[in-house]
């Protein structure tokens, strides 16, 4: 049985993205890690931040097969919290002692959970994740996007949510829009 975990990067834990990932996590019975609760600082060329929460978090994530990245769209892009985390993946490429551990990402599949106030998800948002997965040798399992223009409401999204959850369980590959 594949193991799945989620990380959320939003400026509020219990906002639209938080509610959506919690709904998905409840069905999948998985842990959701809040990047806001972690001390992870921006990428540092000198690696003076090597002892912050990034490496322990990665050790934990790497024990799972599927990693769900949950982020709102902020200015056509991922949230700042998620971007700081993604930037830190560069530690695996630039710290010699971490390169082996970084290769562990090649066996992982990434999924994307997003919210915004638009029906369609921006390519700029999606591509920054999928290109990162590709660069790191990770698989991309698909994504789900919820339009929260009228507030958080999934009452018309039960089928799409069920399909996304099924997709994670099966490991297929087609993005969904709701
Ligand atoms: C700083 C900021 C920037 C935003 N930029 C966009 C955007 O570019 N496109 C969009 O559709 N919605 C945008 N929104 C709306 C959010 O994506 C939307 O309300 C989202 O569901 C918020 O999720 P949260 O509650 O997890 O923060 C933005 C909101 C904020 C606070």
């Amino acid at each position: 049985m594949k193991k799945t975990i989620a990380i959320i990067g939003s400026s509020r834990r219990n906002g639209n993205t938080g509610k959506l990932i919690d709904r998905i996590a409840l069905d999948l019975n998985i842990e959701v890690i809040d990047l806001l609760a972690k001390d992870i600082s921006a990428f540092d060329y000198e690696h003076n931040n090597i002892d912050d929460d990034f490496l322990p978090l990665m050790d934990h994530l790497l024990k799972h097969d599927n990693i769900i990245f949950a982020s709102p769209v902020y200015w056509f892009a991922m949230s700042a919290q998620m971007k700081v985390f993604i930037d830190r993946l560069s530690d695996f490429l630039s710290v010699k002692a971490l390169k082996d551990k970084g290769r562990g990402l090649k066996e992982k599949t990434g999924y994307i959970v997003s919210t915004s106030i638009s029906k369609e998800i921006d390519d700029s948002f999606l591509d920054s994740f999928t290109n990162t997965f590709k660069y790191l040798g990770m698989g991309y399992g698909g994504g789900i996007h919820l339009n929260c223009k009228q507030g958080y409401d999934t009452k018309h999204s039960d089928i799409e949510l069920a399909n996304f959850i099924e997709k994670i369980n099966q490991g297929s590959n087609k993005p969904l829009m709701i």
Side-chain angles (χ1 to χ4, degrees), residues 100-114:
D100 271 349
K101 196 178 280 192
R103 285 189 196 102
L105 284 165
K106 288 186 197 292
E107 293 146 31
K108 311 301 172 194
T109 301
Y111 293 81
I112 304 166
V113 167
S114 56

Side-chain angles (χ1 to χ4, degrees), residues 8-12 14-18 71-77 115-118 120 122 146 148:
I8 174 174
S10 167
S11 288
R12 51 182 185 176
N14 296 312
N16 297 332
T17 317
S71 171
V73 178
Y74 289 161
W75 291 106
F76 314 100
T115 71
S116 75
I117 52 167
S118 310
E120 303 291 331
D122 300 284
L146 182 66
C148 295

Side-chain angles (χ1 to χ4, degrees), residues 24 34 47 53 64 96 116-117 122 126-128 163 169:
I24 291 165
D34 179 12
H47 306 298
D53 289 344
H64 299 75
K96 213 173 163 197
S116 75
I117 52 167
D122 300 284
L126 214 50
D127 290 351
S128 61
N163 286 343
N169 284 327

Side-chain angles (χ1 to χ4, degrees), residues 3-89:
K3 288 178 74 183
T4 302
I5 193 165
I7 51 173
I8 174 174
S10 167
S11 288
R12 51 182 185 176
R13 173 61 184 90
N14 296 312
N16 297 332
T17 317
K19 287 178 187 144
L20 183 60
I21 194 60
D22 283 346
R23 162 84 193 271
I24 291 165
L26 194 66
D27 281 9
L28 287 168
N29 193 23
I30 60 165
E31 183 183 5
V32 179
I33 294 178
D34 179 12
L35 292 175
L36 271 184
K38 299 287 175 189
D39 171 28
I40 298 176
S41 60
F43 177 78
D44 174 8
Y45 282 96
E46 306 301 324
H47 306 298
N48 289 322
N49 55 0
I50 204 76
D51 291 324
D52 70 7
D53 289 344
F54 175 72
L55 286 177
L57 172 58
M58 282 310 300
D59 283 339
H60 187 55
L61 293 180
L62 286 167
K63 290 178 188 146
H64 299 75
D65 308 286
N66 300 320
I67 305 170
I68 305 175
F69 295 79
S71 171
V73 178
Y74 289 161
W75 291 106
F76 314 100
M78 65 180 71
S79 68
Q81 293 79 14
M82 186 61 79
K83 184 64 166 66
V84 165
F85 171 77
I86 296 277
D87 280 0
R88 286 295 297 280
L89 294 172

Side-chain angles (χ1 to χ4, degrees), residues 20 114 118-121 143-148 153-154 156-161 164 176-178:
L20 183 60
S114 56
S118 310
K119 192 164 184 284
E120 303 291 331
I121 185 68
I144 192 163
H145 177 71
L146 182 66
N147 177 7
C148 295
D153 184 357
T154 58
H156 301 299
S157 311
D158 285 341
I159 294 170
E160 289 87 349
L161 276 162
F164 180 66
L176 290 170
M177 300 291 171
I178 57 178

